Amino acid sequence: MTPAASNDIRHDWTRAEVQFLFDLPFMDLMFQAQQMHRRYHQPNTVQLSTLLSIKTGACPEDCAYCPQSVRFETGLAKEPLMEVRAVVEAAREAKAGGATRFCMGAAWRSPKDKDLLKVEAMVREVKSLGLETCVTLGMLKDHQAQRLADAGLDYYNHNLDTSPEYYEKIITTRTYEDRLDTLANVRAAGVKVCSGGIVGMGEEQHDRSELLRQLASLPEHPDSVPINNLVQVEGTPLNGGDKLDPLDFVRTIAVARLTMPKAAVRLSAGRTEMSDELQALCFMAGANSIFYGDKLLTTENPQNLRDRALLARLGMQIEGKVTTEVAIGDREACAVQCEHQHEQAHQQTHEHAAA
């Protein structure tokens, strides 16, 4: 790692400063982001988190991107809060696959106090497996955050989603201040904050810039910053919109790294539609965490085999699970994936010749 600079960690970023970073020539931005990444993080290492929907659908909120809203007809089946035993079994499988953090999400506007009893049990049981725990349950009151802290919760996820100016075009059922209040309650309880946003929702570049400035201006930077690329779901208001330029997504990752140097920057929703080359650029820009597993709540995520093959091709190690067994498994995964890609290429060449 390279030495840290005394002025790297800041909470006083101006709009002009963050916009300046977005406007840098792409190669200059990447170079600076990779330098910053190596000051604070082990290079060529990625942390794996797995996200499970523990209560699905029927959410009263109107978040325009969300298939779990009761306001939109997306065909998603409503499922009640899972039993603790089933959640623990899923956590065991996630750990066996290399995940070091297990995240549990419930489609609530905010949990009722009685609902927390079962969630607290989930946290305790999952933590006993040796995994870090994270939950996302909507808005939290201060005493609820403290209850989760007492149960041993490590992280609480609550995204700001977008800039304050663009926010009302995406959500009207809770305010930006509501989100900031929840983050304050979580931090006051001693739980680490996981907070990021979603890009590709029709926002402008200055909205992405302002989202990151808001996160970087918090009294303490989030410990994890998930950056989601919108997954368009039929039935939601944002379905059918223009896709974000992939290089603009990479720029968002890079600026997140520069403005919040110590945070884990996580590639979250949208990776299924990303090429291996795009994900590699994101890692170069400072991303060092991914959601690992076939599902992200209710949307698709890359198959574990594809992820392990990509990490092996890039020479990247899995944080907390760097063993000979894993290395062998990754090489085997890479061989299978590369053979599959070769077969696809051969078939495409044959079809082209036949045409």
Side-chain angles (χ1 to χ4, degrees):
M1 294 187 186
T2 55
S6 59
N7 62 344
D8 284 347
I9 310 300
R10 295 177 48 192
H11 303 267
D12 60 348
W13 290 92
T14 66
R15 288 175 181 252
E17 287 174 324
V18 180
Q19 189 60 54
F20 174 81
L21 295 178
F22 268 98
D23 291 338
L24 283 171
F26 186 78
M27 299 306 175
D28 292 347
L29 176 60
M30 294 289 282
F31 179 69
Q32 290 188 31
Q34 181 61 200
Q35 283 186 311
M36 184 69 78
H37 179 72
R38 288 171 179 261
R39 287 180 192 167
Y40 292 94
H41 302 276
Q42 188 68 32
N44 303 311
T45 302
V46 63
Q47 184 270 332
L48 305 184
S49 294
T50 294
L51 176 59
L52 175 70
S53 179
I54 60 172
K55 184 269 178 186
T56 304
C59 180
E61 303 275 24
D62 67 352
C63 307
Y65 52 80
C66 186
Q68 300 202 65
S69 173
V70 73
R71 299 163 186 253
F72 312 137
E73 293 293 335
T74 63
L76 183 69
K78 175 183 175 182
E79 298 178 9
L81 186 62
M82 292 176 63
E83 294 301 322
V84 176
R85 182 182 304 175
V87 172
V88 173
E89 183 58 33
R92 284 199 182 96
E93 293 178 5
K95 182 179 180 181
T100 56
R101 186 177 309 162
F102 191 72
C103 307
M104 297 160 274
W108 286 318
R109 172 178 168 79
S110 58
K112 297 181 174 63
D113 285 347
K114 64 179 182 179
D115 295 323
L116 285 184
L117 289 172
K118 190 178 284 189
V119 176
E120 289 165 341
M122 293 175 186
V123 169
R124 288 191 292 268
E125 292 296 321
V126 170
K127 196 174 179 68
S128 72
L129 300 177
L131 288 164
E132 292 181 319
T133 55
C134 177
V135 297
T136 177
L137 313 173
M139 295 182 289
L140 281 188
K141 299 174 182 176
D142 53 1
H143 74 277
Q144 293 176 322
Q146 189 59 57
R147 282 180 57 177
L148 292 169
D150 293 342
L153 183 67
D154 296 299
Y155 291 84
Y156 192 84
N157 166 259
H158 200 64
N159 292 333
L160 294 184
D161 283 352
T162 188
S163 69
E165 294 81 2
Y166 195 67
Y167 184 81
E168 289 188 359
K169 295 181 180 180
I170 303 299
I171 304 155
T172 66
T173 49
R174 74 173 80 168
T175 68
Y176 212 78
E177 195 61 37
D178 288 333
R179 292 181 179 267
L180 292 172
D181 288 345
T182 290
L183 295 182
N185 290 337
V186 168
R187 187 71 80 182
V191 176
K192 296 176 182 178
V193 166
C194 173
S195 186
I198 307 172
V199 298
M201 298 192 294
E203 77 285 345
E204 301 293 338
Q205 188 188 78
H206 64 81
D207 293 304
R208 296 188 286 276
S209 174
E210 183 59 15
L211 165 66
L212 296 181
R213 194 187 74 83
Q214 288 286 327
L215 292 166
S217 298
L218 293 171
E220 293 182 57
H221 292 164
D223 300 274
S224 294
V225 180
I227 304 296
N228 298 272
N229 199 4
L230 177 69
V231 176
Q232 297 186 10
V233 178
E234 187 175 352
T236 61
L238 293 181
N239 185 49
D242 293 337
K243 301 290 184 69
L244 183 68
D245 184 322
L247 293 186
D248 285 338
F249 184 81
V250 178
R251 284 182 179 276
T252 306
I253 297 291
V255 177
R257 171 53 65 220
L258 288 168
T259 54
M260 293 168 280
K262 290 184 178 181
V265 178
R266 179 175 302 123
L267 295 184
S268 299
R271 284 200 305 117
T272 301
E273 298 179 7
M274 295 182 191
S275 68
D276 288 353
E277 293 79 9
L278 176 56
Q279 292 186 72
L281 280 176
C282 290
F283 291 133
M284 175 65 75
N288 60 341
S289 177
I290 61 173
F291 272 124
Y292 184 72
D294 298 342
K295 284 280 188 181
L296 280 187
L297 296 180
T298 63
T299 57
E300 296 299 320
N301 201 47
Q303 296 290 315
N304 290 356
L305 182 66
R306 175 187 168 187
D307 281 337
R308 292 171 74 88
L310 174 59
L311 295 178
R313 290 170 64 201
L314 296 177
M316 298 186 72
Q317 298 175 331
I318 299 172
E319 180 182 289
K321 197 175 177 66
V322 184
T323 66
T324 303
E325 179 183 353
V326 170
I328 293 172
D330 287 346
R331 287 198 296 272
E332 291 174 348
C334 186
V336 172
Q337 181 75 1
C338 290
E339 182 179 355
H340 176 63
Q341 290 174 341
H342 177 75
E343 290 176 354
Q344 284 184 319
H346 179 74
Q347 182 179 357
Q348 290 172 355
T349 301
H350 178 74
E351 290 174 352
H352 179 73

PDB file of all heavy atoms in Angstrom, residues 1-5 8 27-41 43 257-258 261 283-286:
ATOM      1  N   MET A   1       0.841  -1.194   0.000  1.00  0.00           N
ATOM      2  CA  MET A   1       0.000   0.000   0.000  1.00  0.00           C
ATOM      3  C   MET A   1       0.879   1.248   0.000  1.00  0.00           C
ATOM      4  O   MET A   1       1.940   1.276   0.613  1.00  0.00           O
ATOM      5  CB  MET A   1      -0.906   0.027   1.231  1.00  0.00           C
ATOM      6  CG  MET A   1      -1.949  -1.079   1.268  1.00  0.00           C
ATOM      7  SD  MET A   1      -3.107  -0.885   2.635  1.00  0.00           S
ATOM      8  CE  MET A   1      -4.031  -2.410   2.473  1.00  0.00           C
ATOM      9  N   THR A   2       0.416   2.300  -0.648  1.00  0.00           N
ATOM     10  CA  THR A   2       1.141   3.562  -0.649  1.00  0.00           C
ATOM     11  C   THR A   2       0.743   4.400   0.547  1.00  0.00           C
ATOM     12  O   THR A   2      -0.340   4.236   1.107  1.00  0.00           O
ATOM     13  CB  THR A   2       0.850   4.340  -1.944  1.00  0.00           C
ATOM     14  OG1 THR A   2      -0.562   4.499  -2.063  1.00  0.00           O
ATOM     15  CG2 THR A   2       1.354   3.579  -3.157  1.00  0.00           C
ATOM     16  N   PRO A   3       1.605   5.304   0.991  1.00  0.00           N
ATOM     17  CA  PRO A   3       1.296   6.107   2.185  1.00  0.00           C
ATOM     18  C   PRO A   3       0.047   6.966   1.996  1.00  0.00           C
ATOM     19  O   PRO A   3      -0.204   7.500   0.910  1.00  0.00           O
ATOM     20  CB  PRO A   3       2.549   6.977   2.341  1.00  0.00           C
ATOM     21  CG  PRO A   3       3.624   6.266   1.577  1.00  0.00           C
ATOM     22  CD  PRO A   3       2.941   5.582   0.438  1.00  0.00           C
ATOM     23  N   ALA A   4      -0.717   7.098   3.056  1.00  0.00           N
ATOM     24  CA  ALA A   4      -1.908   7.943   3.021  1.00  0.00           C
ATOM     25  C   ALA A   4      -1.521   9.410   3.145  1.00  0.00           C
ATOM     26  O   ALA A   4      -0.527   9.753   3.785  1.00  0.00           O
ATOM     27  CB  ALA A   4      -2.853   7.558   4.148  1.00  0.00           C
ATOM     28  N   ALA A   5      -2.294  10.266   2.527  1.00  0.00           N
ATOM     29  CA  ALA A   5      -2.078  11.705   2.643  1.00  0.00           C
ATOM     30  C   ALA A   5      -2.973  12.257   3.740  1.00  0.00           C
ATOM     31  O   ALA A   5      -4.067  11.755   3.983  1.00  0.00           O
ATOM     32  CB  ALA A   5      -2.381  12.392   1.311  1.00  0.00           C
ATOM     33  N   ASP A   8      -6.626  13.230   2.672  1.00  0.00           N
ATOM     34  CA  ASP A   8      -7.448  12.296   1.894  1.00  0.00           C
ATOM     35  C   ASP A   8      -8.876  12.214   2.421  1.00  0.00           C
ATOM     36  O   ASP A   8      -9.836  12.155   1.651  1.00  0.00           O
ATOM     37  CB  ASP A   8      -6.838  10.888   1.921  1.00  0.00           C
ATOM     38  CG  ASP A   8      -5.628  10.758   1.002  1.00  0.00           C
ATOM     39  OD1 ASP A   8      -5.418  11.656   0.173  1.00  0.00           O
ATOM     40  OD2 ASP A   8      -4.904   9.749   1.137  1.00  0.00           O
ATOM     41  N   MET A  27      -8.873   8.526 -18.257  1.00  0.00           N
ATOM     42  CA  MET A  27      -7.655   7.848 -17.808  1.00  0.00           C
ATOM     43  C   MET A  27      -7.054   8.510 -16.580  1.00  0.00           C
ATOM     44  O   MET A  27      -6.534   7.830 -15.682  1.00  0.00           O
ATOM     45  CB  MET A  27      -6.619   7.796 -18.942  1.00  0.00           C
ATOM     46  CG  MET A  27      -7.098   7.030 -20.157  1.00  0.00           C
ATOM     47  SD  MET A  27      -7.653   5.346 -19.750  1.00  0.00           S
ATOM     48  CE  MET A  27      -8.278   4.824 -21.340  1.00  0.00           C
ATOM     49  N   ASP A  28      -7.142   9.827 -16.507  1.00  0.00           N
ATOM     50  CA  ASP A  28      -6.639  10.532 -15.325  1.00  0.00           C
ATOM     51  C   ASP A  28      -7.458  10.167 -14.091  1.00  0.00           C
ATOM     52  O   ASP A  28      -6.916   9.956 -13.003  1.00  0.00           O
ATOM     53  CB  ASP A  28      -6.677  12.045 -15.543  1.00  0.00           C
ATOM     54  CG  ASP A  28      -5.692  12.513 -16.602  1.00  0.00           C
ATOM     55  OD1 ASP A  28      -4.814  11.707 -16.992  1.00  0.00           O
ATOM     56  OD2 ASP A  28      -5.797  13.680 -17.028  1.00  0.00           O
ATOM     57  N   LEU A  29      -8.772  10.101 -14.266  1.00  0.00           N
ATOM     58  CA  LEU A  29      -9.647   9.743 -13.157  1.00  0.00           C
ATOM     59  C   LEU A  29      -9.340   8.328 -12.674  1.00  0.00           C
ATOM     60  O   LEU A  29      -9.253   8.068 -11.462  1.00  0.00           O
ATOM     61  CB  LEU A  29     -11.111   9.856 -13.593  1.00  0.00           C
ATOM     62  CG  LEU A  29     -12.166   9.430 -12.576  1.00  0.00           C
ATOM     63  CD1 LEU A  29     -12.080  10.273 -11.303  1.00  0.00           C
ATOM     64  CD2 LEU A  29     -13.562   9.512 -13.184  1.00  0.00           C
ATOM     65  N   MET A  30      -9.175   7.396 -13.598  1.00  0.00           N
ATOM     66  CA  MET A  30      -8.872   6.018 -13.228  1.00  0.00           C
ATOM     67  C   MET A  30      -7.547   5.921 -12.500  1.00  0.00           C
ATOM     68  O   MET A  30      -7.408   5.193 -11.502  1.00  0.00           O
ATOM     69  CB  MET A  30      -8.849   5.147 -14.487  1.00  0.00           C
ATOM     70  CG  MET A  30     -10.201   4.998 -15.169  1.00  0.00           C
ATOM     71  SD  MET A  30     -11.346   3.969 -14.228  1.00  0.00           S
ATOM     72  CE  MET A  30     -10.710   2.346 -14.633  1.00  0.00           C
ATOM     73  N   PHE A  31      -6.554   6.644 -12.977  1.00  0.00           N
ATOM     74  CA  PHE A  31      -5.229   6.614 -12.357  1.00  0.00           C
ATOM     75  C   PHE A  31      -5.299   7.115 -10.919  1.00  0.00           C
ATOM     76  O   PHE A  31      -4.760   6.498  -9.992  1.00  0.00           O
ATOM     77  CB  PHE A  31      -4.256   7.465 -13.181  1.00  0.00           C
ATOM     78  CG  PHE A  31      -2.863   7.518 -12.628  1.00  0.00           C
ATOM     79  CD1 PHE A  31      -2.047   6.390 -12.654  1.00  0.00           C
ATOM     80  CD2 PHE A  31      -2.357   8.689 -12.084  1.00  0.00           C
ATOM     81  CE1 PHE A  31      -0.756   6.436 -12.143  1.00  0.00           C
ATOM     82  CE2 PHE A  31      -1.080   8.742 -11.565  1.00  0.00           C
ATOM     83  CZ  PHE A  31      -0.269   7.613 -11.597  1.00  0.00           C
ATOM     84  N   GLN A  32      -5.976   8.240 -10.723  1.00  0.00           N
ATOM     85  CA  GLN A  32      -6.089   8.793  -9.369  1.00  0.00           C
ATOM     86  C   GLN A  32      -6.879   7.859  -8.450  1.00  0.00           C
ATOM     87  O   GLN A  32      -6.521   7.660  -7.282  1.00  0.00           O
ATOM     88  CB  GLN A  32      -6.765  10.167  -9.421  1.00  0.00           C
ATOM     89  CG  GLN A  32      -5.918  11.252 -10.049  1.00  0.00           C
ATOM     90  CD  GLN A  32      -6.545  12.623  -9.909  1.00  0.00           C
ATOM     91  OE1 GLN A  32      -7.255  12.906  -8.936  1.00  0.00           O
ATOM     92  NE2 GLN A  32      -6.284  13.502 -10.858  1.00  0.00           N
ATOM     93  N   ALA A  33      -7.956   7.277  -8.962  1.00  0.00           N
ATOM     94  CA  ALA A  33      -8.776   6.390  -8.146  1.00  0.00           C
ATOM     95  C   ALA A  33      -7.997   5.144  -7.729  1.00  0.00           C
ATOM     96  O   ALA A  33      -8.082   4.695  -6.581  1.00  0.00           O
ATOM     97  CB  ALA A  33     -10.042   5.997  -8.908  1.00  0.00           C
ATOM     98  N   GLN A  34      -7.206   4.563  -8.654  1.00  0.00           N
ATOM     99  CA  GLN A  34      -6.427   3.376  -8.317  1.00  0.00           C
ATOM    100  C   GLN A  34      -5.328   3.705  -7.302  1.00  0.00           C
ATOM    101  O   GLN A  34      -5.065   2.913  -6.385  1.00  0.00           O
ATOM    102  CB  GLN A  34      -5.824   2.760  -9.582  1.00  0.00           C
ATOM    103  CG  GLN A  34      -5.018   1.505  -9.356  1.00  0.00           C
ATOM    104  CD  GLN A  34      -5.788   0.341  -8.746  1.00  0.00           C
ATOM    105  OE1 GLN A  34      -5.170  -0.567  -8.189  1.00  0.00           O
ATOM    106  NE2 GLN A  34      -7.115   0.330  -8.861  1.00  0.00           N
ATOM    107  N   GLN A  35      -4.731   4.865  -7.437  1.00  0.00           N
ATOM    108  CA  GLN A  35      -3.747   5.291  -6.444  1.00  0.00           C
ATOM    109  C   GLN A  35      -4.381   5.404  -5.063  1.00  0.00           C
ATOM    110  O   GLN A  35      -3.822   4.923  -4.065  1.00  0.00           O
ATOM    111  CB  GLN A  35      -3.133   6.634  -6.845  1.00  0.00           C
ATOM    112  CG  GLN A  35      -2.101   6.564  -7.945  1.00  0.00           C
ATOM    113  CD  GLN A  35      -1.445   7.918  -8.159  1.00  0.00           C
ATOM    114  OE1 GLN A  35      -2.118   8.953  -8.274  1.00  0.00           O
ATOM    115  NE2 GLN A  35      -0.130   7.928  -8.203  1.00  0.00           N
ATOM    116  N   MET A  36      -5.542   6.038  -4.989  1.00  0.00           N
ATOM    117  CA  MET A  36      -6.233   6.195  -3.712  1.00  0.00           C
ATOM    118  C   MET A  36      -6.626   4.831  -3.151  1.00  0.00           C
ATOM    119  O   MET A  36      -6.500   4.574  -1.949  1.00  0.00           O
ATOM    120  CB  MET A  36      -7.470   7.075  -3.892  1.00  0.00           C
ATOM    121  CG  MET A  36      -8.204   7.385  -2.588  1.00  0.00           C
ATOM    122  SD  MET A  36      -7.252   8.485  -1.500  1.00  0.00           S
ATOM    123  CE  MET A  36      -7.565  10.057  -2.328  1.00  0.00           C
ATOM    124  N   HIS A  37      -7.100   3.959  -4.016  1.00  0.00           N
ATOM    125  CA  HIS A  37      -7.509   2.625  -3.575  1.00  0.00           C
ATOM    126  C   HIS A  37      -6.356   1.899  -2.886  1.00  0.00           C
ATOM    127  O   HIS A  37      -6.527   1.283  -1.832  1.00  0.00           O
ATOM    128  CB  HIS A  37      -8.000   1.826  -4.775  1.00  0.00           C
ATOM    129  CG  HIS A  37      -8.435   0.434  -4.449  1.00  0.00           C
ATOM    130  ND1 HIS A  37      -9.603   0.176  -3.761  1.00  0.00           N
ATOM    131  CD2 HIS A  37      -7.851  -0.766  -4.670  1.00  0.00           C
ATOM    132  CE1 HIS A  37      -9.722  -1.132  -3.596  1.00  0.00           C
ATOM    133  NE2 HIS A  37      -8.678  -1.721  -4.132  1.00  0.00           N
ATOM    134  N   ARG A  38      -5.165   1.996  -3.460  1.00  0.00           N
ATOM    135  CA  ARG A  38      -4.010   1.279  -2.921  1.00  0.00           C
ATOM    136  C   ARG A  38      -3.473   1.902  -1.641  1.00  0.00           C
ATOM    137  O   ARG A  38      -2.731   1.250  -0.909  1.00  0.00           O
ATOM    138  CB  ARG A  38      -2.909   1.184  -3.981  1.00  0.00           C
ATOM    139  CG  ARG A  38      -3.258   0.212  -5.094  1.00  0.00           C
ATOM    140  CD  ARG A  38      -2.295   0.245  -6.260  1.00  0.00           C
ATOM    141  NE  ARG A  38      -2.702  -0.728  -7.274  1.00  0.00           N
ATOM    142  CZ  ARG A  38      -2.160  -1.944  -7.398  1.00  0.00           C
ATOM    143  NH1 ARG A  38      -1.180  -2.321  -6.598  1.00  0.00           N
ATOM    144  NH2 ARG A  38      -2.601  -2.766  -8.329  1.00  0.00           N
ATOM    145  N   ARG A  39      -3.836   3.122  -1.364  1.00  0.00           N
ATOM    146  CA  ARG A  39      -3.435   3.716  -0.084  1.00  0.00           C
ATOM    147  C   ARG A  39      -4.170   3.096   1.091  1.00  0.00           C
ATOM    148  O   ARG A  39      -3.644   3.005   2.196  1.00  0.00           O
ATOM    149  CB  ARG A  39      -3.695   5.224  -0.095  1.00  0.00           C
ATOM    150  CG  ARG A  39      -2.752   6.045  -0.936  1.00  0.00           C
ATOM    151  CD  ARG A  39      -3.121   7.518  -0.872  1.00  0.00           C
ATOM    152  NE  ARG A  39      -2.400   8.278  -1.891  1.00  0.00           N
ATOM    153  CZ  ARG A  39      -2.684   9.515  -2.241  1.00  0.00           C
ATOM    154  NH1 ARG A  39      -3.717  10.140  -1.667  1.00  0.00           N
ATOM    155  NH2 ARG A  39      -1.979  10.141  -3.166  1.00  0.00           N
ATOM    156  N   TYR A  40      -5.402   2.680   0.868  1.00  0.00           N
ATOM    157  CA  TYR A  40      -6.259   2.277   1.993  1.00  0.00           C
ATOM    158  C   TYR A  40      -6.750   0.828   1.930  1.00  0.00           C
ATOM    159  O   TYR A  40      -7.324   0.346   2.904  1.00  0.00           O
ATOM    160  CB  TYR A  40      -7.472   3.215   2.063  1.00  0.00           C
ATOM    161  CG  TYR A  40      -7.087   4.614   2.457  1.00  0.00           C
ATOM    162  CD1 TYR A  40      -6.835   5.584   1.493  1.00  0.00           C
ATOM    163  CD2 TYR A  40      -6.943   4.956   3.800  1.00  0.00           C
ATOM    164  CE1 TYR A  40      -6.459   6.873   1.856  1.00  0.00           C
ATOM    165  CE2 TYR A  40      -6.574   6.237   4.173  1.00  0.00           C
ATOM    166  CZ  TYR A  40      -6.329   7.181   3.197  1.00  0.00           C
ATOM    167  OH  TYR A  40      -5.942   8.452   3.567  1.00  0.00           O
ATOM    168  N   HIS A  41      -6.512   0.153   0.808  1.00  0.00           N
ATOM    169  CA  HIS A  41      -7.053  -1.190   0.664  1.00  0.00           C
ATOM    170  C   HIS A  41      -6.023  -2.121   0.046  1.00  0.00           C
ATOM    171  O   HIS A  41      -5.141  -1.691  -0.699  1.00  0.00           O
ATOM    172  CB  HIS A  41      -8.321  -1.163  -0.215  1.00  0.00           C
ATOM    173  CG  HIS A  41      -9.388  -0.277   0.320  1.00  0.00           C
ATOM    174  ND1 HIS A  41     -10.298  -0.681   1.278  1.00  0.00           N
ATOM    175  CD2 HIS A  41      -9.684   1.024   0.042  1.00  0.00           C
ATOM    176  CE1 HIS A  41     -11.109   0.324   1.563  1.00  0.00           C
ATOM    177  NE2 HIS A  41     -10.764   1.365   0.828  1.00  0.00           N
ATOM    178  N   PRO A  43      -4.695  -4.336  -2.604  1.00  0.00           N
ATOM    179  CA  PRO A  43      -5.025  -4.437  -4.029  1.00  0.00           C
ATOM    180  C   PRO A  43      -5.356  -5.875  -4.422  1.00  0.00           C
ATOM    181  O   PRO A  43      -4.964  -6.831  -3.753  1.00  0.00           O
ATOM    182  CB  PRO A  43      -3.743  -3.961  -4.721  1.00  0.00           C
ATOM    183  CG  PRO A  43      -2.653  -4.193  -3.724  1.00  0.00           C
ATOM    184  CD  PRO A  43      -3.282  -3.995  -2.383  1.00  0.00           C
ATOM    185  N   ARG A 257     -14.638   6.291  -4.824  1.00  0.00           N
ATOM    186  CA  ARG A 257     -13.371   5.915  -4.210  1.00  0.00           C
ATOM    187  C   ARG A 257     -12.565   7.141  -3.784  1.00  0.00           C
ATOM    188  O   ARG A 257     -11.979   7.163  -2.701  1.00  0.00           O
ATOM    189  CB  ARG A 257     -12.571   5.043  -5.193  1.00  0.00           C
ATOM    190  CG  ARG A 257     -11.128   4.747  -4.785  1.00  0.00           C
ATOM    191  CD  ARG A 257     -11.024   4.159  -3.390  1.00  0.00           C
ATOM    192  NE  ARG A 257     -11.644   2.853  -3.311  1.00  0.00           N
ATOM    193  CZ  ARG A 257     -12.380   2.456  -2.268  1.00  0.00           C
ATOM    194  NH1 ARG A 257     -12.634   3.272  -1.244  1.00  0.00           N
ATOM    195  NH2 ARG A 257     -12.901   1.248  -2.240  1.00  0.00           N
ATOM    196  N   LEU A 258     -12.546   8.161  -4.606  1.00  0.00           N
ATOM    197  CA  LEU A 258     -11.743   9.345  -4.292  1.00  0.00           C
ATOM    198  C   LEU A 258     -12.336  10.158  -3.149  1.00  0.00           C
ATOM    199  O   LEU A 258     -11.599  10.747  -2.357  1.00  0.00           O
ATOM    200  CB  LEU A 258     -11.596  10.217  -5.539  1.00  0.00           C
ATOM    201  CG  LEU A 258     -10.672   9.648  -6.624  1.00  0.00           C
ATOM    202  CD1 LEU A 258     -10.828  10.433  -7.928  1.00  0.00           C
ATOM    203  CD2 LEU A 258      -9.220   9.684  -6.158  1.00  0.00           C
ATOM    204  N   PRO A 261     -12.297   7.425   0.700  1.00  0.00           N
ATOM    205  CA  PRO A 261     -11.180   6.508   0.465  1.00  0.00           C
ATOM    206  C   PRO A 261     -11.215   5.217   1.279  1.00  0.00           C
ATOM    207  O   PRO A 261     -10.799   4.166   0.786  1.00  0.00           O
ATOM    208  CB  PRO A 261      -9.950   7.348   0.841  1.00  0.00           C
ATOM    209  CG  PRO A 261     -10.386   8.766   0.674  1.00  0.00           C
ATOM    210  CD  PRO A 261     -11.828   8.777   1.075  1.00  0.00           C
ATOM    211  N   PHE A 283     -13.342  -2.497 -10.952  1.00  0.00           N
ATOM    212  CA  PHE A 283     -12.340  -2.874  -9.949  1.00  0.00           C
ATOM    213  C   PHE A 283     -11.126  -1.955 -10.054  1.00  0.00           C
ATOM    214  O   PHE A 283     -10.557  -1.540  -9.036  1.00  0.00           O
ATOM    215  CB  PHE A 283     -11.922  -4.334 -10.136  1.00  0.00           C
ATOM    216  CG  PHE A 283     -13.001  -5.330  -9.802  1.00  0.00           C
ATOM    217  CD1 PHE A 283     -13.290  -6.384 -10.660  1.00  0.00           C
ATOM    218  CD2 PHE A 283     -13.732  -5.222  -8.624  1.00  0.00           C
ATOM    219  CE1 PHE A 283     -14.282  -7.308 -10.357  1.00  0.00           C
ATOM    220  CE2 PHE A 283     -14.732  -6.128  -8.312  1.00  0.00           C
ATOM    221  CZ  PHE A 283     -15.007  -7.180  -9.178  1.00  0.00           C
ATOM    222  N   MET A 284     -10.716  -1.623 -11.268  1.00  0.00           N
ATOM    223  CA  MET A 284      -9.610  -0.694 -11.449  1.00  0.00           C
ATOM    224  C   MET A 284      -9.955   0.671 -10.851  1.00  0.00           C
ATOM    225  O   MET A 284      -9.100   1.367 -10.283  1.00  0.00           O
ATOM    226  CB  MET A 284      -9.283  -0.553 -12.942  1.00  0.00           C
ATOM    227  CG  MET A 284      -8.230   0.490 -13.267  1.00  0.00           C
ATOM    228  SD  MET A 284      -6.598   0.078 -12.609  1.00  0.00           S
ATOM    229  CE  MET A 284      -6.110  -1.195 -13.771  1.00  0.00           C
ATOM    230  N   ALA A 285     -11.219   1.067 -10.955  1.00  0.00           N
ATOM    231  CA  ALA A 285     -11.660   2.367 -10.442  1.00  0.00           C
ATOM    232  C   ALA A 285     -11.793   2.399  -8.925  1.00  0.00           C
ATOM    233  O   ALA A 285     -12.032   3.463  -8.356  1.00  0.00           O
ATOM    234  CB  ALA A 285     -12.989   2.754 -11.079  1.00  0.00           C
ATOM    235  N   GLY A 286     -11.667   1.238  -8.270  1.00  0.00           N
ATOM    236  CA  GLY A 286     -11.695   1.239  -6.807  1.00  0.00           C
ATOM    237  C   GLY A 286     -12.773   0.405  -6.167  1.00  0.00           C
ATOM    238  O   GLY A 286     -12.868   0.362  -4.938  1.00  0.00           O
TER     239      GLY A 286
END
